[in-house]
Coordinates of all heavy atoms in Angstrom, one line a residue:
M1 N -1.1 8.5 16.7 CA -0.9 7.3 15.9 C -1.7 6.2 16.4 O -1.8 6.0 17.6 CB 0.6 6.9 16.0 CG 1.1 5.9 15.0 SD 1.3 6.6 13.4 CE 2.9 7.4 13.5
K2 N -2.4 5.6 15.5 CA -3.2 4.4 16.0 C -2.7 3.2 15.2 O -2.4 3.3 14.0 CB -4.7 4.6 15.9 CG -5.2 4.7 14.4 CD -6.7 4.9 14.4 CE -7.2 5.2 13.0 NZ -8.5 5.6 12.9
R3 N -2.7 2.0 15.8 CA -2.2 0.8 15.2 C -3.4 -0.1 14.9 O -4.2 -0.4 15.8 CB -1.3 0.1 16.1 CG -0.8 -1.2 15.6 CD 0.4 -1.7 16.3 NE 1.6 -1.0 15.9 CZ 2.9 -1.3 16.2 NH1 3.1 -2.4 16.9 NH2 3.9 -0.5 15.8
I4 N -3.6 -0.4 13.6 CA -4.7 -1.3 13.2 C -4.2 -2.6 12.8 O -3.1 -2.8 12.2 CB -5.5 -0.7 12.1 CG1 -4.7 -0.5 10.8 CG2 -6.1 0.7 12.5 CD1 -5.6 -0.6 9.6
H5 N -5.0 -3.7 13.1 CA -4.7 -5.0 12.6 C -5.2 -5.1 11.2 O -6.4 -5.1 10.9 CB -5.4 -6.0 13.5 CG -5.2 -7.4 13.1 ND1 -6.2 -8.3 13.1 CD2 -4.2 -8.1 12.5 CE1 -5.8 -9.5 12.6 NE2 -4.6 -9.3 12.2
A6 N -4.3 -5.3 10.2 CA -4.7 -5.3 8.8 C -5.1 -6.7 8.4 O -6.2 -6.8 7.7 CB -3.5 -4.9 8.0
C7 N -4.4 -7.7 8.7 CA -4.7 -9.1 8.3 C -3.7 -10.0 9.0 O -2.8 -9.6 9.7 CB -4.6 -9.2 6.8 SG -2.9 -9.0 6.1
F8 N -3.8 -11.3 8.7 CA -2.8 -12.3 9.1 C -2.0 -12.6 7.9 O -2.4 -12.5 6.7 CB -3.5 -13.6 9.7 CG -4.2 -13.3 11.0 CD1 -5.5 -13.2 11.0 CD2 -3.4 -13.3 12.1 CE1 -6.2 -12.9 12.2 CE2 -4.1 -13.0 13.4 CZ -5.4 -12.8 13.4
T9 N -0.7 -13.0 8.1 CA 0.2 -13.2 7.0 C -0.3 -14.2 6.0 O -0.1 -14.0 4.8 CB 1.6 -13.6 7.5 OG1 1.5 -14.7 8.4 CG2 2.3 -12.4 8.2
E10 N -1.0 -15.2 6.4 CA -1.5 -16.2 5.5 C -2.6 -15.7 4.6 O -3.0 -16.3 3.6 CB -1.9 -17.5 6.2 CG -3.1 -17.4 7.1 CD -2.7 -17.2 8.5 OE1 -1.6 -16.7 8.8 OE2 -3.5 -17.5 9.4
E11 N -3.2 -14.6 5.0 CA -4.3 -14.0 4.2 C -3.7 -13.1 3.0 O -4.5 -12.7 2.1 CB -5.1 -13.1 5.0 CG -5.9 -13.9 6.1 CD -6.6 -13.0 7.1 OE1 -6.0 -12.0 7.6 OE2 -7.9 -13.2 7.2
L12 N -2.5 -12.9 3.0 CA -1.9 -12.0 1.9 C -0.7 -12.7 1.3 O 0.5 -12.5 1.8 CB -1.6 -10.6 2.5 CG -1.1 -9.6 1.5 CD1 -2.1 -9.4 0.3 CD2 -0.9 -8.3 2.1
P13 N -0.8 -13.5 0.3 CA 0.3 -14.2 -0.3 C 1.3 -13.3 -1.0 O 0.9 -12.2 -1.3 CB -0.4 -15.1 -1.3 CG -1.8 -15.2 -1.0 CD -2.1 -13.9 -0.3
E14 N 2.5 -13.8 -1.1 CA 3.5 -13.0 -1.9 C 3.0 -12.6 -3.2 O 2.4 -13.3 -3.9 CB 4.8 -13.9 -2.0 CG 5.8 -13.4 -2.9 CD 6.6 -12.3 -2.2 OE1 6.7 -12.3 -1.0 OE2 7.2 -11.4 -3.0
G15 N 3.3 -11.3 -3.6 CA 2.9 -10.8 -4.9 C 1.5 -10.3 -5.0 O 1.0 -10.0 -6.1
E16 N 0.8 -10.2 -3.8 CA -0.6 -9.8 -3.9 C -0.8 -8.5 -3.0 O 0.1 -8.1 -2.2 CB -1.5 -10.9 -3.4 CG -1.5 -12.1 -4.4 CD -2.7 -13.0 -4.2 OE1 -3.6 -12.7 -3.4 OE2 -2.6 -14.1 -4.8
A17 N -2.0 -7.9 -3.2 CA -2.3 -6.7 -2.4 C -3.7 -6.8 -1.8 O -4.6 -7.6 -2.3 CB -2.3 -5.5 -3.3
L18 N -3.9 -6.1 -0.8 CA -5.2 -6.1 0.0 C -5.7 -4.6 0.1 O -4.9 -3.7 0.5 CB -4.9 -6.7 1.3 CG -6.1 -7.2 2.2 CD1 -6.8 -8.3 1.5 CD2 -5.5 -7.7 3.5
R19 N -6.9 -4.4 -0.2 CA -7.5 -3.0 0.0 C -8.2 -3.0 1.4 O -9.1 -3.8 1.7 CB -8.5 -2.7 -1.1 CG -9.1 -1.3 -1.1 CD -10.0 -1.2 -2.3 NE -10.5 0.2 -2.4 CZ -11.6 0.6 -1.7 NH1 -12.3 -0.2 -1.0 NH2 -11.9 1.9 -1.9
L20 N -7.8 -2.1 2.2 CA -8.3 -2.0 3.6 C -9.3 -0.9 3.7 O -9.0 0.3 3.3 CB -7.2 -1.8 4.6 CG -6.1 -2.8 4.6 CD1 -4.9 -2.4 5.4 CD2 -6.6 -4.2 5.1
D21 N -10.4 -1.2 4.3 CA -11.5 -0.2 4.4 C -11.2 0.7 5.6 O -12.0 0.8 6.6 CB -12.8 -0.9 4.6 CG -14.0 0.1 4.4 OD1 -13.8 1.2 3.9 OD2 -15.1 -0.3 4.8
T22 N -10.1 1.4 5.6 CA -9.7 2.3 6.7 C -9.9 3.8 6.2 O -10.3 4.0 5.1 CB -8.2 2.1 7.0 OG1 -7.5 2.2 5.7 CG2 -8.0 0.8 7.7
T23 N -9.6 4.7 7.1 CA -9.7 6.1 6.7 C -8.3 6.7 7.0 O -7.9 6.8 8.1 CB -10.7 6.9 7.6 OG1 -12.0 6.3 7.4 CG2 -10.8 8.3 7.1
P24 N -7.5 7.1 5.9 CA -7.9 6.9 4.5 C -7.8 5.4 4.1 O -7.2 4.6 4.9 CB -6.8 7.7 3.8 CG -5.6 7.6 4.7 CD -6.2 7.6 6.1
V25 N -8.3 5.1 2.9 CA -8.3 3.7 2.4 C -6.8 3.4 2.1 O -6.1 4.2 1.5 CB -9.2 3.5 1.2 CG1 -9.1 2.1 0.7 CG2 -10.6 3.9 1.5
I26 N -6.3 2.3 2.6 CA -4.9 1.9 2.5 C -4.8 0.6 1.6 O -5.7 -0.3 1.8 CB -4.3 1.7 3.9 CG1 -4.1 3.1 4.5 CG2 -3.0 1.0 3.8 CD1 -3.6 3.0 6.0
A27 N -3.8 0.5 0.8 CA -3.5 -0.7 0.1 C -2.2 -1.3 0.8 O -1.2 -0.6 1.0 CB -3.1 -0.4 -1.4
L28 N -2.4 -2.6 1.1 CA -1.3 -3.3 1.7 C -0.7 -4.3 0.7 O -1.5 -5.1 0.1 CB -1.8 -4.0 3.0 CG -0.8 -4.9 3.7 CD1 0.3 -4.1 4.4 CD2 -1.6 -5.7 4.8
F29 N 0.6 -4.3 0.6 CA 1.3 -5.2 -0.4 C 2.2 -6.2 0.3 O 2.8 -5.8 1.3 CB 2.1 -4.3 -1.4 CG 1.2 -3.4 -2.2 CD1 0.9 -2.2 -1.7 CD2 0.8 -3.8 -3.5 CE1 0.1 -1.3 -2.4 CE2 0.0 -2.9 -4.2 CZ -0.3 -1.7 -3.7
H30 N 2.4 -7.3 -0.3 CA 3.4 -8.3 0.1 C 4.3 -8.6 -1.0 O 3.9 -9.3 -2.0 CB 2.7 -9.6 0.6 CG 3.6 -10.6 1.2 ND1 3.1 -11.9 1.5 CD2 4.9 -10.6 1.5 CE1 4.1 -12.6 2.0 NE2 5.2 -11.8 2.0
V31 N 5.5 -8.1 -1.0 CA 6.4 -8.2 -2.1 C 7.8 -8.5 -1.6 O 8.3 -7.8 -0.6 CB 6.5 -6.8 -2.9 CG1 7.4 -7.0 -4.1 CG2 5.1 -6.4 -3.4
G32 N 8.5 -9.5 -2.1 CA 9.8 -9.8 -1.7 C 10.0 -10.1 -0.2 O 11.0 -9.8 0.4
G33 N 8.9 -10.7 0.3 CA 9.0 -11.1 1.8 C 8.7 -9.9 2.7 O 8.6 -10.1 3.9
E34 N 8.4 -8.7 2.1 CA 8.2 -7.6 3.0 C 6.7 -7.1 2.8 O 6.1 -7.4 1.7 CB 9.1 -6.4 2.6 CG 10.6 -6.7 2.8 CD 11.0 -6.7 4.2 OE1 10.3 -6.1 5.1 OE2 12.0 -7.4 4.5
Y35 N 6.2 -6.4 3.7 CA 4.9 -5.8 3.6 C 5.0 -4.3 3.6 O 5.8 -3.7 4.3 CB 4.0 -6.2 4.8 CG 3.8 -7.7 4.9 CD1 4.7 -8.5 5.5 CD2 2.6 -8.2 4.4 CE1 4.4 -9.9 5.5 CE2 2.3 -9.6 4.4 CZ 3.3 -10.4 5.0 OH 3.0 -11.8 5.0
Y36 N 4.2 -3.7 2.7 CA 4.2 -2.2 2.5 C 2.8 -1.7 2.5 O 1.9 -2.3 1.9 CB 4.8 -1.9 1.1 CG 6.2 -2.4 1.0 CD1 6.5 -3.6 0.2 CD2 7.3 -1.8 1.5 CE1 7.8 -4.1 0.1 CE2 8.6 -2.2 1.4 CZ 8.8 -3.4 0.6 OH 10.1 -3.9 0.5
A37 N 2.6 -0.6 3.1 CA 1.3 0.1 3.1 C 1.4 1.5 2.5 O 2.2 2.3 2.9 CB 0.7 0.1 4.6
I38 N 0.5 1.8 1.6 CA 0.4 3.1 1.0 C -1.1 3.5 0.8 O -1.9 2.7 0.9 CB 1.1 3.1 -0.4 CG1 0.4 2.2 -1.4 CG2 2.6 2.8 -0.3 CD1 0.9 2.3 -2.8
N39 N -1.3 4.8 0.5 CA -2.7 5.2 0.2 C -3.2 4.4 -1.0 O -2.4 4.3 -2.0 CB -2.7 6.7 -0.1 CG -3.0 7.5 1.1 OD1 -3.1 7.0 2.3 ND2 -3.1 8.8 1.0
D40 N -4.4 4.0 -0.9 CA -4.9 3.2 -2.0 C -5.3 4.0 -3.2 O -5.1 3.6 -4.3 CB -6.2 2.4 -1.5 CG -6.7 1.5 -2.6 OD1 -5.9 0.6 -3.0 OD2 -7.8 1.6 -3.0
Q41 N -5.7 5.3 -3.0 CA -6.1 6.1 -4.1 C -4.9 6.7 -4.8 O -4.0 7.4 -4.1 CB -7.1 7.2 -3.7 CG -7.4 8.0 -5.0 CD -8.7 8.8 -4.8 OE1 -9.5 8.6 -3.9 NE2 -8.9 9.8 -5.7
C42 N -4.8 6.6 -6.1 CA -3.6 7.2 -6.8 C -3.7 8.7 -6.6 O -4.7 9.3 -6.5 CB -3.8 6.8 -8.3 SG -2.4 7.5 -9.3
S43 N -2.5 9.3 -6.6 CA -2.4 10.7 -6.4 C -2.7 11.5 -7.7 O -2.8 12.7 -7.7 CB -1.0 11.1 -6.0 OG 0.0 10.7 -6.9
H44 N -2.9 10.8 -8.8 CA -3.2 11.4 -10.1 C -4.7 11.3 -10.5 O -5.1 12.1 -11.3 CB -2.3 10.7 -11.1 CG -2.6 11.3 -12.5 ND1 -3.2 10.6 -13.5 CD2 -2.2 12.5 -13.1 CE1 -3.3 11.3 -14.6 NE2 -2.7 12.5 -14.4
G45 N -5.4 10.3 -9.9 CA -6.8 10.2 -10.3 C -7.5 9.1 -9.5 O -7.0 8.7 -8.5
N46 N -8.7 8.8 -10.0 CA -9.5 7.8 -9.2 C -9.2 6.4 -9.5 O -10.0 5.7 -10.2 CB -11.0 8.2 -9.4 CG -11.9 7.5 -8.4 OD1 -11.4 7.1 -7.4 ND2 -13.2 7.5 -8.7
A47 N -8.1 5.9 -9.1 CA -7.7 4.6 -9.3 C -7.2 3.9 -8.0 O -6.7 4.6 -7.2 CB -6.5 4.5 -10.3
S48 N -7.5 2.6 -7.9 CA -7.1 1.9 -6.7 C -5.8 1.2 -6.9 O -5.7 0.3 -7.7 CB -8.2 0.9 -6.4 OG -7.8 0.0 -5.3
M49 N -4.8 1.6 -6.1 CA -3.5 1.0 -6.2 C -3.5 -0.5 -5.9 O -2.6 -1.2 -6.4 CB -2.5 1.8 -5.4 CG -2.3 3.2 -5.7 SD -2.1 3.6 -7.5 CE -0.6 2.7 -7.8
S50 N -4.4 -0.9 -5.1 CA -4.5 -2.4 -4.8 C -4.8 -3.2 -6.0 O -4.7 -4.4 -6.0 CB -5.4 -2.6 -3.6 OG -6.7 -2.3 -4.0
E51 N -5.3 -2.5 -7.0 CA -5.6 -3.2 -8.3 C -4.5 -3.0 -9.3 O -4.7 -3.3 -10.5 CB -7.0 -2.7 -8.8 CG -8.1 -3.0 -7.9 CD -9.5 -2.4 -8.4 OE1 -9.5 -1.8 -9.4 OE2 -10.4 -2.5 -7.6
G52 N -3.4 -2.4 -8.9 CA -2.3 -2.1 -9.8 C -1.5 -3.3 -10.1 O -1.7 -4.4 -9.6
Y53 N -0.4 -3.1 -10.9 CA 0.4 -4.2 -11.3 C 1.7 -4.2 -10.4 O 2.5 -3.2 -10.4 CB 0.8 -4.1 -12.8 CG -0.4 -4.0 -13.6 CD1 -0.9 -2.8 -14.1 CD2 -1.1 -5.2 -13.9 CE1 -2.0 -2.7 -14.9 CE2 -2.3 -5.1 -14.7 CZ -2.7 -3.9 -15.2 OH -3.9 -3.8 -15.9
I54 N 1.9 -5.2 -9.6 CA 2.9 -5.3 -8.6 C 4.2 -5.9 -9.3 O 4.1 -6.9 -10.0 CB 2.5 -6.2 -7.4 CG1 1.2 -5.6 -6.8 CG2 3.6 -6.3 -6.4 CD1 0.5 -6.6 -5.9
E55 N 5.3 -5.2 -9.1 CA 6.6 -5.7 -9.6 C 7.5 -6.2 -8.5 O 7.3 -5.7 -7.4 CB 7.3 -4.5 -10.4 CG 6.4 -3.9 -11.5 CD 6.3 -4.7 -12.7 OE1 7.0 -5.8 -12.8 OE2 5.5 -4.3 -13.6
D56 N 8.4 -7.1 -8.9 CA 9.3 -7.6 -7.8 C 10.2 -6.6 -7.2 O 10.8 -6.9 -6.1 CB 10.1 -8.8 -8.5 CG 9.3 -10.0 -8.8 OD1 8.2 -10.1 -8.3 OD2 9.7 -10.8 -9.6
D57 N 10.4 -5.5 -7.9 CA 11.3 -4.5 -7.3 C 10.6 -3.5 -6.3 O 11.1 -2.4 -6.1 CB 12.0 -3.7 -8.4 CG 11.0 -2.9 -9.3 OD1 9.8 -3.2 -9.1 OD2 11.4 -2.1 -10.1
A58 N 9.5 -4.0 -5.7 CA 8.7 -3.2 -4.8 C 8.2 -1.9 -5.3 O 8.3 -0.9 -4.7 CB 9.6 -3.0 -3.5
T59 N 7.6 -2.1 -6.5 CA 6.9 -1.0 -7.1 C 5.5 -1.5 -7.5 O 5.3 -2.7 -7.7 CB 7.6 -0.4 -8.4 OG1 7.7 -1.4 -9.3 CG2 9.0 0.2 -8.0
V60 N 4.6 -0.5 -7.7 CA 3.3 -0.9 -8.2 C 2.9 0.1 -9.2 O 3.2 1.3 -9.1 CB 2.2 -0.9 -7.0 CG1 2.1 0.4 -6.3 CG2 0.9 -1.4 -7.6
E61 N 2.3 -0.4 -10.3 CA 1.9 0.5 -11.4 C 0.5 0.8 -11.4 O -0.3 -0.2 -11.3 CB 2.3 -0.3 -12.7 CG 2.1 0.6 -14.0 CD 2.5 -0.2 -15.2 OE1 3.7 -0.6 -15.3 OE2 1.6 -0.5 -16.0
C62 N 0.1 2.0 -11.4 CA -1.3 2.4 -11.4 C -2.1 1.7 -12.5 O -1.6 1.8 -13.7 CB -1.4 3.9 -11.5 SG -3.1 4.5 -11.6
P63 N -3.3 1.2 -12.3 CA -4.0 0.5 -13.3 C -4.6 1.4 -14.3 O -5.0 1.0 -15.4 CB -5.1 -0.3 -12.5 CG -5.3 0.5 -11.3 CD -3.9 1.1 -10.9
L64 N -4.6 2.7 -14.0 CA -5.3 3.7 -15.0 C -4.4 4.3 -16.0 O -4.6 4.2 -17.2 CB -6.1 4.7 -14.1 CG -7.2 5.5 -14.8 CD1 -8.2 4.5 -15.4 CD2 -7.9 6.4 -13.8
H65 N -3.3 4.9 -15.5 CA -2.4 5.6 -16.4 C -0.9 5.2 -16.3 O 0.0 5.8 -16.8 CB -2.5 7.2 -16.2 CG -3.8 7.7 -16.4 ND1 -4.4 8.4 -15.4 CD2 -4.7 7.6 -17.4 CE1 -5.7 8.8 -15.8 NE2 -5.8 8.3 -17.0
A66 N -0.7 4.1 -15.5 CA 0.6 3.4 -15.5 C 1.7 4.1 -14.8 O 2.9 3.8 -15.1 CB 1.0 3.0 -16.9
T67 N 1.4 5.1 -14.0 CA 2.5 5.6 -13.2 C 3.0 4.5 -12.2 O 2.2 3.8 -11.6 CB 2.1 6.9 -12.3 OG1 2.0 8.0 -13.2 CG2 3.2 7.2 -11.3
S68 N 4.3 4.4 -12.1 CA 4.9 3.4 -11.2 C 5.3 4.1 -9.9 O 5.9 5.2 -9.9 CB 6.1 2.8 -11.8 OG 6.6 1.8 -11.0
F69 N 4.8 3.6 -8.8 CA 5.1 4.1 -7.5 C 6.0 3.2 -6.7 O 5.8 2.0 -6.7 CB 3.8 4.3 -6.6 CG 3.0 5.4 -7.2 CD1 2.0 5.2 -8.1 CD2 3.1 6.8 -6.7 CE1 1.1 6.2 -8.6 CE2 2.3 7.8 -7.2 CZ 1.3 7.5 -8.1
C70 N 7.0 3.8 -6.0 CA 7.8 3.0 -5.1 C 7.0 2.6 -3.8 O 6.5 3.5 -3.1 CB 9.1 3.8 -4.7 SG 10.1 2.9 -3.5
L71 N 7.0 1.4 -3.5 CA 6.2 1.0 -2.3 C 6.9 1.3 -1.0 O 6.3 1.5 0.0 CB 5.9 -0.6 -2.3 CG 5.0 -1.0 -3.4 CD1 4.9 -2.5 -3.4 CD2 3.6 -0.5 -3.2
K72 N 8.2 1.5 -1.1 CA 9.0 1.9 0.1 C 8.9 3.3 0.5 O 8.8 3.7 1.7 CB 10.5 1.5 -0.1 CG 10.7 0.0 -0.3 CD 12.2 -0.3 -0.6 CE 12.4 -1.7 -0.9 NZ 13.7 -2.1 -1.3
T73 N 8.9 4.2 -0.5 CA 8.9 5.6 -0.3 C 7.6 6.3 -0.7 O 7.3 7.5 -0.3 CB 10.0 6.3 -1.0 OG1 9.8 6.2 -2.4 CG2 11.4 5.7 -0.7
G74 N 6.8 5.7 -1.6 CA 5.6 6.3 -2.1 C 5.8 7.2 -3.3 O 4.9 7.8 -3.9
K75 N 7.1 7.3 -3.7 CA 7.5 8.3 -4.7 C 6.9 7.8 -6.1 O 7.0 6.6 -6.4 CB 9.0 8.4 -4.8 CG 9.5 9.4 -5.7 CD 11.0 9.5 -5.7 CE 11.5 10.5 -6.7 NZ 13.0 10.5 -6.8
A76 N 6.4 8.8 -6.8 CA 6.0 8.6 -8.2 C 7.3 8.5 -9.1 O 8.1 9.5 -9.1 CB 5.1 9.7 -8.7
L77 N 7.5 7.4 -9.8 CA 8.8 7.1 -10.5 C 8.7 7.6 -11.9 O 9.7 7.6 -12.6 CB 9.2 5.7 -10.4 CG 9.3 5.2 -8.9 CD1 9.6 3.7 -8.9 CD2 10.5 5.9 -8.2
C78 N 7.5 7.8 -12.4 CA 7.3 8.3 -13.8 C 6.0 9.1 -13.9 O 5.2 9.0 -13.1 CB 7.4 7.2 -14.8 SG 6.1 5.9 -14.6
L79 N 5.9 9.8 -15.0 CA 4.6 10.5 -15.3 C 3.5 9.5 -15.7 O 3.8 8.4 -16.0 CB 4.9 11.5 -16.4 CG 5.9 12.6 -16.1 CD1 6.2 13.5 -17.3 CD2 5.4 13.5 -14.9
P80 N 2.2 9.9 -15.6 CA 1.8 11.3 -15.4 C 1.7 11.8 -13.9 O 1.6 13.0 -13.6 CB 0.4 11.3 -16.0 CG -0.1 9.9 -15.8 CD 1.1 9.1 -16.0
A81 N 1.7 10.9 -12.9 CA 1.6 11.3 -11.5 C 2.9 11.9 -11.1 O 4.0 11.5 -11.5 CB 1.2 10.1 -10.6
T82 N 2.8 13.0 -10.3 CA 4.0 13.6 -9.8 C 4.0 13.7 -8.2 O 5.0 13.9 -7.6 CB 4.2 15.0 -10.3 OG1 3.0 15.8 -10.0 CG2 4.4 15.0 -11.8
I83 N 2.8 13.5 -7.6 CA 2.7 13.6 -6.2 C 2.9 12.2 -5.6 O 2.3 11.3 -6.0 CB 1.3 14.2 -5.8 CG1 1.1 15.6 -6.5 CG2 1.1 14.2 -4.3 CD1 -0.3 16.1 -6.4
P84 N 3.7 12.1 -4.5 CA 4.0 10.8 -3.9 C 2.7 10.3 -3.2 O 1.9 11.1 -2.8 CB 5.1 11.1 -3.0 CG 5.1 12.5 -2.7 CD 4.6 13.2 -3.9
L85 N 2.7 9.0 -2.9 CA 1.6 8.5 -2.1 C 2.1 8.3 -0.7 O 3.3 8.0 -0.4 CB 1.2 7.1 -2.6 CG 0.6 7.1 -4.0 CD1 0.4 5.6 -4.5 CD2 -0.7 7.8 -4.0
Q86 N 1.2 8.6 0.3 CA 1.6 8.5 1.7 C 1.9 7.0 2.0 O 1.2 6.1 1.5 CB 0.4 8.9 2.5 CG 0.5 8.6 4.0 CD 1.3 9.7 4.7 OE1 1.1 10.9 4.4 NE2 2.2 9.3 5.5
T87 N 3.0 6.8 2.7 CA 3.3 5.4 3.2 C 3.1 5.3 4.7 O 3.0 6.3 5.4 CB 4.8 5.1 2.9 OG1 5.6 6.0 3.6 CG2 5.1 5.1 1.4
Y88 N 2.9 4.1 5.1 CA 2.6 3.8 6.6 C 3.5 2.7 7.1 O 3.7 1.7 6.4 CB 1.1 3.5 6.7 CG 0.1 4.5 6.2 CD1 -0.3 4.4 4.9 CD2 -0.3 5.6 7.0 CE1 -1.2 5.4 4.3 CE2 -1.1 6.5 6.4 CZ -1.6 6.4 5.1 OH -2.4 7.4 4.6
P89 N 4.0 2.9 8.3 CA 4.8 1.8 8.9 C 4.0 0.5 9.1 O 2.9 0.6 9.6 CB 5.2 2.4 10.2 CG 5.0 3.9 10.2 CD 3.8 4.0 9.2
V90 N 4.6 -0.6 8.7 CA 4.0 -1.9 8.9 C 4.8 -2.7 9.9 O 6.1 -2.8 9.8 CB 3.9 -2.6 7.5 CG1 3.3 -4.0 7.7 CG2 3.1 -1.8 6.5
T91 N 4.2 -3.4 10.8 CA 4.8 -4.3 11.7 C 4.2 -5.7 11.6 O 2.9 -5.8 11.6 CB 4.6 -3.8 13.2 OG1 5.0 -2.4 13.2 CG2 5.4 -4.6 14.2
V92 N 5.0 -6.7 11.6 CA 4.5 -8.1 11.6 C 4.9 -8.7 12.9 O 6.0 -8.8 13.3 CB 5.1 -8.9 10.4 CG1 4.5 -10.3 10.5 CG2 4.7 -8.2 9.1
T93 N 3.9 -9.2 13.7 CA 4.1 -9.8 15.0 C 3.3 -11.1 15.1 O 2.1 -11.1 14.9 CB 3.6 -8.9 16.1 OG1 4.3 -7.6 16.0 CG2 4.0 -9.4 17.5
E94 N 4.0 -12.2 15.2 CA 3.4 -13.5 15.4 C 2.3 -13.8 14.4 O 1.2 -14.2 14.7 CB 2.8 -13.6 16.9 CG 3.9 -13.6 17.9 CD 3.3 -13.6 19.3 OE1 2.1 -13.7 19.5 OE2 4.2 -13.6 20.3
G95 N 2.7 -13.5 13.1 CA 1.7 -13.8 12.0 C 0.6 -12.8 11.8 O -0.2 -13.1 10.9
A96 N 0.7 -11.7 12.5 CA -0.4 -10.7 12.3 C 0.3 -9.4 11.8 O 1.4 -9.1 12.2 CB -1.1 -10.4 13.6
V97 N -0.4 -8.8 10.8 CA 0.2 -7.6 10.2 C -0.5 -6.4 10.7 O -1.8 -6.3 10.7 CB 0.0 -7.7 8.6 CG1 0.7 -6.5 8.0 CG2 0.6 -9.0 8.1
F98 N 0.2 -5.4 11.2 CA -0.3 -4.2 11.8 C 0.2 -3.0 11.0 O 1.3 -3.0 10.5 CB 0.1 -4.0 13.2 CG -0.4 -5.1 14.1 CD1 0.3 -6.3 14.3 CD2 -1.7 -5.0 14.7 CE1 -0.2 -7.3 15.2 CE2 -2.2 -6.0 15.5 CZ -1.4 -7.1 15.8
I99 N -0.6 -1.9 10.9 CA -0.3 -0.7 10.2 C -0.5 0.5 11.2 O -1.5 0.5 11.9 CB -1.1 -0.5 9.0 CG1 -1.0 -1.6 8.0 CG2 -0.7 0.9 8.3 CD1 -1.9 -1.5 6.8
D100 N 0.5 1.4 11.3 CA 0.4 2.6 12.1 C -0.1 3.7 11.3 O 0.5 4.1 10.2 CB 1.7 2.9 12.7 CG 2.2 1.9 13.7 OD1 1.3 1.3 14.4 OD2 3.4 1.8 13.9
I101 N -1.3 4.3 11.7 CA -1.9 5.4 10.9 C -1.9 6.6 11.8 O -2.3 6.5 13.0 CB -3.3 5.0 10.6 CG1 -3.4 3.7 9.7 CG2 -4.0 6.1 9.8 CD1 -4.8 3.2 9.4
P102 N -1.5 7.8 11.3 CA -1.5 9.0 12.1 C -3.0 9.3 12.5 O -3.9 9.1 11.7 CB -1.0 10.1 11.2 CG -0.3 9.3 10.1 CD -1.0 8.0 10.0
E103 N -3.1 9.8 13.7 CA -4.5 10.3 14.1 C -4.8 11.5 13.3 O -4.0 12.3 12.9 CB -4.5 10.8 15.6 CG -4.1 9.7 16.5 CD -5.2 8.7 16.8 OE1 -6.4 8.9 16.4 OE2 -5.0 7.7 17.5
E104 N -6.1 11.7 13.0 CA -6.5 12.8 12.1 C -6.4 14.1 12.9 O -6.6 14.1 14.1 CB -8.0 12.6 11.7 CG -8.1 11.5 10.7 CD -9.4 11.5 10.0 OE1 -10.0 12.5 9.7 OE2 -9.9 10.4 9.6
A105 N -6.0 15.1 12.3 CA -5.8 16.4 12.9 C -7.1 17.0 13.3 O -8.2 16.7 12.8 CB -5.1 17.4 12.0
Ligands
LIG201 S1 -4.9 7.7 -12.0 FE1 -3.0 6.8 -11.5 S2 -1.6 7.6 -12.9 FE2 -3.5 8.5 -13.5

């Protein structure tokens, strides 16, 4: 597991998302006072979840075919996507946001 510094809290306002140039590419969201990290690429096609529509119930809707994903679990909540998105633990310490990413096998 490696811990990366994603951003500072003031760089990601409530209701917005940030695309991180990590491997894999990760989308970081700030919703309802919480931060969530998921794979940026939709499990159904070539769409960036950081460009999706963020809802107050901690879901994001894919901008291409409108599957809604739970930001807490990564689960696809409706069709056409059926495969969940990987989620990553997020830690906020002294105004800095960190994400734990598994080491590659
Ligand atoms: S690419 Fe996301 S639902 Fe199709």
Side-chain angles (χ1 to χ4, degrees):
M1 192 77 78
K2 67 179 174 190
R3 177 164 286 192
I4 62 150
H5 174 224
C7 66
F8 292 100
T9 52
E10 66 263 26
E11 295 175 306
L12 186 55
E14 172 74 27
E16 294 195 9
L18 197 61
R19 184 178 185 271
L20 302 171
D21 191 19
T22 48
T23 304
V25 178
I26 289 175
L28 177 66
F29 297 85
H30 183 189
V31 184
E34 301 287 334
Y35 294 84
Y36 303 99
I38 63 172
N39 267 2
D40 186 58
Q41 179 163 346
C42 182
S43 61
H44 179 253
N46 194 16
S48 172
M49 299 311 297
S50 62
E51 296 173 7
Y53 304 100
I54 302 165
E55 304 286 353
D56 288 344
D57 60 352
T59 60
V60 61
E61 187 180 296
C62 176
L64 201 51
H65 304 123
T67 287
S68 185
F69 290 91
C70 175
L71 292 173
K72 297 177 182 174
T73 65
K75 186 176 178 190
L77 301 173
C78 60
L79 296 173
T82 56
I83 301 168
L85 295 175
Q86 174 79 46
T87 61
Y88 303 91
V90 178
T91 306
V92 180
T93 306
E94 296 177 0
V97 184
F98 297 91
I99 301 173
D100 291 332
I101 303 175
E103 299 283 353
E104 292 193 33

